Amino acid sequence: QPNRLQQSPALIAAFDHVRAVWARGMRPISTDELADAASISKAHLSRLFRTNFGCGPATGLELVRLEHARTLLMRTNMSVTAIARDSGYADPLHFSRRFRAVLGRSPRAYRRAEGTADATPALLAIAPLARTLTRS
């Protein structure tokens, strides 16, 4: 899988779109919107994501948002509600449910773990995607 991301103009275009959108604040980005930005079909975009990251684009982007939230929980004193909004979740309850589904505990319980809680395999799998999308 060396340099596969650099060899895919469609993924580069999709990632550029995500970075541009998220520069104004994280929010969910639909597979339709991402495929349009990359000028490819949803099916092709899904194949590219699955090949590179082991999940579809919607899941991959949500995992990046949850990784962002996980980092904020461990490194800031922001409220869970503020972290939810900063991570693109309008509803803090929905954020908490999604966080628990992926990380196995609520955001508050995760924060109380004081650094002893590790990323899940799903978050580790999308680490290259997270680095790509959150770099300046």
Side-chain angles (χ1 to χ4, degrees):
Q1 152 174 348
N3 297 325
R4 185 177 310 157
L5 293 178
Q6 289 80 12
Q7 297 172 10
S8 174
L11 279 181
I12 291 169
F15 296 159
D16 286 347
H17 178 73
V18 172
R19 281 192 292 273
V21 169
W22 284 359
R24 297 182 300 272
M26 280 189 161
R27 68 165 174 84
I29 299 173
S30 71
T31 303
D32 285 328
E33 179 182 347
L34 206 52
D36 287 346
S39 300
I40 58 175
S41 71
K42 287 179 10 180
H44 186 58
L45 178 67
S46 292
R47 278 191 300 278
L48 288 172
F49 259 77
R50 288 190 196 293
T51 299
N52 283 283
F53 308 110
C55 63
T59 298
L61 294 183
E62 182 180 33
L63 289 173
V64 171
R65 291 168 46 224
L66 289 170
E67 173 60 17
H68 173 74
R70 186 180 79 89
T71 300
L72 292 176
L73 283 165
M74 299 309 294
R75 296 186 183 169
T76 73
N77 290 327
M78 292 171 66
S79 70
V80 171
T81 298
I83 289 172
R85 290 200 176 101
D86 194 71
S87 302
Y89 291 87
D91 179 2
L93 181 58
H94 178 67
F95 163 70
S96 291
R97 286 181 180 147
R98 296 302 303 139
F99 193 93
R100 182 189 300 269
V102 172
L103 286 132
R105 49 177 100 166
S106 72
R108 283 184 181 82
Y110 193 92
R111 177 175 266 167
R112 280 193 306 268
E114 297 181 5
T116 60
D118 293 325
T120 63
L123 290 181
L124 292 173
I126 57 89
L129 177 62
R131 282 191 301 274
T132 299
L133 295 177
T134 56
R135 70 184 157 124
S136 304

